[in-house]
Amino acid sequence: MTTRRALITGITGQDGSYLAELLLEKGYEVHGLIRRPASLEASPFKPSDRLVLHLGDLTDGNVLTQLLRTIRPDEVYNLAAQSVVSLSFEQPEHTVNVTAVGAVRLLEAIRVNKIPAKFYQASSSEMFGNTTESPQQETTPCHPQNPYGAAKLFAHWFTQHARTTYGIFACSGICFNHESPRRGLSFVTRKITWGLANILAGRQQKLSLGNLEVKRDWGYAKEYVEAMWRMLQQPEAGDYVVATGQTHSIREFLQEAFSYKGLRWEDYVDVDPALYRPADTFVSVGDASKARARLGWEPTTAFPELVRLLVDADLERVTSESKRTSAGRPAPPVHRRPRAIS
């Protein structure tokens, strides 16, 4: 049996690392795109005969074209993006260049090289913005409230264009917020659990946050990458919402996290208006009926379990760092990804 070959952009990110693990377990040969030589040297992944890392960037179409020509993957997963919503307000041009035009460059590399690869585009619930329809489905009108959401919407539409016009097997997974211990510290869920862990360790007194009334549909990233893979195993390409169908506010997330450790979040959290976004999506909740019916996928990790999973992981990290510091050894960078893939 021929080994299937996959290319993952954003392989060092939360979703990319979980997806790489999944594909390796399924016997794939996995190729990943990394932007800088320093990232290659510091990568938590150990290259092997079935895991190969390549230097490249979604802003360089020539590199992508050459890479696709060399690898000739069976499946391409575009998970790379400038994905920090708050940063997209400050760097809209960079966000569009990577997140929107980057997807175009990758699809063009597939088309120009005439590679019969199946393509997955990581779309986002941020595309919907403050839409009047709730919960949001694949056909819900989009009104993005930030440059990141607008860039994702462009990439989403171009993926549909590539499917209908060029005949590329191109799918979009419209993923609602999904978290894990591998989530970056710039995201509010990790900001909360990392702050709580440091408060419990006596290394931090207060945690500053923005609007606590924003509501999100939070799921577990490790489960969401399974849906991504299942999309490319279908006989026909399509778009799918990936979500839990439940919504919780940041205030509820705080309550669940702090009460889990016997604390009142009100004693430790300051609301800072300066941290509010210039424009925001206040309620986001998805309807994953199509994914359940056609992919046989559904989430299994409940909201309280997810919050506690993140809290426990960050407590373990802080404890390990404290032990290293007391032993005179430098602590690892807090943004380092877990050493997940071997």
Side-chain angles (χ1 to χ4, degrees):
M1 180 178 178
T2 304
T3 300
R4 284 190 287 180
R5 189 177 298 121
L7 170 65
I8 303 173
T9 70
I11 193 172
T12 57
Q14 169 187 255
D15 293 2
S17 63
Y18 281 125
L19 179 61
E21 287 177 348
L22 176 68
L23 296 182
L24 288 170
E25 289 172 1
K26 293 182 178 298
Y28 280 68
E29 176 185 314
V30 177
H31 294 256
L33 193 67
I34 294 183
R35 286 185 297 162
R36 297 180 297 270
S39 299
L40 189 60
E41 295 168 4
S43 170
F45 313 136
K46 299 176 182 178
S48 66
D49 58 344
R50 288 200 299 116
L51 176 61
V52 184
L53 302 178
H54 305 267
L55 292 174
D57 195 292
L58 288 184
T59 62
D60 192 332
N62 290 331
V63 168
L64 294 177
T65 298
Q66 181 59 45
L67 186 61
L68 267 290
R69 185 180 299 137
T70 301
I71 298 173
R72 300 197 69 80
D74 300 291
E75 298 172 5
V76 176
Y77 296 86
N78 184 31
L79 308 185
Q82 190 304 97
S83 59
V84 181
V85 173
S86 58
L87 184 60
S88 75
F89 286 103
E90 301 173 17
Q91 299 180 359
E93 182 178 347
H94 172 68
T95 299
V96 169
N97 191 21
V98 175
T99 308
V101 187
V104 176
R105 295 186 183 103
L106 199 52
L107 282 161
E108 278 294 276
I110 292 174
R111 184 178 72 87
V112 169
N113 285 308
K114 295 182 173 59
I115 298 173
K118 294 183 176 181
F119 178 83
Y120 172 84
Q121 168 61 25
S123 292
S124 168
S125 60
E126 288 290 337
M127 301 187 311
F128 294 124
N130 288 323
T131 184
T132 56
E133 184 177 310
S134 184
Q136 289 90 53
Q137 301 175 318
E138 292 80 6
T139 56
T140 297
C142 295
H143 303 282
Q145 297 295 299
N146 52 69
Y148 169 75
K152 280 292 187 181
L153 181 56
F154 179 92
H156 178 77
W157 279 340
F158 192 85
T159 300
Q160 292 180 340
H161 168 75
R163 180 169 69 228
T164 58
T165 304
Y166 305 139
I168 296 174
F169 189 108
C171 298
S172 285
I174 309 171
C175 292
F176 282 65
N177 292 62
H178 45 292
E179 317 300 316
S180 78
R182 302 180 191 179
R183 189 68 139 153
L185 288 176
S186 58
F187 294 88
V188 68
T189 51
R190 281 294 313 288
K191 187 175 182 180
I192 291 171
T193 58
W194 182 253
L196 172 58
N198 279 281
I199 287 169
L200 289 169
R203 306 198 313 183
Q204 185 174 329
Q205 300 300 316
K206 290 285 186 176
L207 175 62
S208 294
L209 296 173
N211 189 353
L212 304 186
E213 308 312 318
V214 169
K215 295 183 177 181
R216 293 290 182 266
D217 184 329
W218 276 302
Y220 185 24
K222 191 172 183 179
E223 296 174 352
Y224 281 38
V225 300
E226 172 77 24
M228 299 174 189
W229 175 77
R230 291 192 183 193
M231 289 179 206
L232 299 196
Q233 313 314 308
Q234 302 306 304
E236 295 182 0
D239 304 325
Y240 297 86
V241 164
V242 183
T244 70
Q246 299 181 1
T247 183
H248 298 275
S249 67
I250 294 175
R251 186 184 299 273
E252 290 176 88
F253 196 104
L254 282 168
Q255 174 65 28
E256 190 66 46
F258 277 75
S259 64
Y260 175 45
K261 293 302 174 182
L263 300 178
R264 294 180 68 254
W265 69 265
E266 295 91 341
D267 297 332
Y268 301 93
V269 176
D270 292 328
V271 175
D272 184 356
L275 297 177
Y276 281 44
R277 293 175 182 171
D280 211 341
T281 303
F282 294 106
V283 180
S284 177
V285 58
D287 179 358
S289 298
K290 181 179 176 181
R292 285 196 297 271
R294 299 191 185 182
L295 306 181
W297 177 89
E298 60 183 336
T300 59
T301 303
F303 177 72
E305 182 183 354
L306 175 65
V307 176
R308 295 176 184 188
L309 187 155
L310 267 64
V311 170
D312 288 341
D314 275 337
L315 280 172
E316 183 178 346
R317 283 176 178 156
V318 168
T319 300
S320 296
E321 287 188 10
S322 297
K323 289 180 179 178
R324 288 190 184 93
T325 302
S326 62
R329 297 192 299 271
V334 294
H335 283 283
R336 188 191 66 171
R337 298 291 179 186
R339 293 190 176 275
I341 298 178
S342 60

